Amino acid sequence: MRHGRAKSARRTLQFYKLNAPHLTPPYKVLLDGTFLVASVRNKVPLFERFEKTLQHEPFTFYVARSTLDELDALAKQKSDDDASDNIFQQARQFGLDECEIIENERVPNREDGAMETREFRDFSQASKDIHRLATDGGDNRLAYFVATQDDA
């Protein structure tokens, strides 16, 4: 990692250590489906890249079950169009092989209707679950770093 990028990563981690004391090693990195697809498409070695970014501190990848279900649905939809190289299936397989899976029962407040407001209505179930996990209690009490390619 170049010096500037390493310095920026060090400063960011130092900020979180000072201002969010519950974000401590081993870090928990919650991966989104769009992030998995982009990393597989661009052949990014995720473990090496995160190890450098997190300053060689221990970490674990997590993925929500709804994210895997969404990738599976996209893979089946894509398999009708292109049977050769299915990037969604490869991303789902990475999630199954290399990540700890957060089952739907472990997602906080999944049954309440709080996510049915106007700003969340267009979110997929996977995005809603990731939002619930990252904002449980309003302060990321579960201490996840979220890796996503989404704008929202």
Side-chain angles (χ1 to χ4, degrees), residues 5-52:
R5 220 178 306 163
K7 184 177 180 181
S8 175
R10 228 179 2 260
R11 284 184 173 180
T12 302
L13 286 176
Q14 186 63 29
F15 171 82
Y16 282 118
K17 284 179 185 175
L18 293 174
N19 295 312
H22 60 282
L23 289 172
T24 58
Y27 296 115
K28 298 189 283 187
V29 181
L30 183 59
L31 302 178
D32 186 19
T34 56
F35 185 82
L36 284 172
V37 169
S39 64
V40 168
R41 182 177 289 139
N42 296 319
K43 298 180 178 128
V44 177
L46 286 181
F47 281 105
E48 292 83 11
R49 193 66 65 89
F50 271 94
E51 187 177 40
K52 289 178 184 176

Side-chain angles (χ1 to χ4, degrees), residues 62-93:
Y62 290 89
V63 65
R65 174 62 67 186
S66 55
T67 300
L68 295 174
D69 294 342
E70 183 179 58
L71 286 172
D72 189 39
L74 289 171
K76 287 178 182 173
Q77 180 183 13
K78 185 71 173 167
S79 68
D80 298 338
D81 302 336
D82 181 24
S84 61
D85 182 38
N86 194 337
I87 200 84
F88 296 107
Q89 188 61 35
Q90 291 175 10
R92 182 178 185 273
Q93 196 60 45

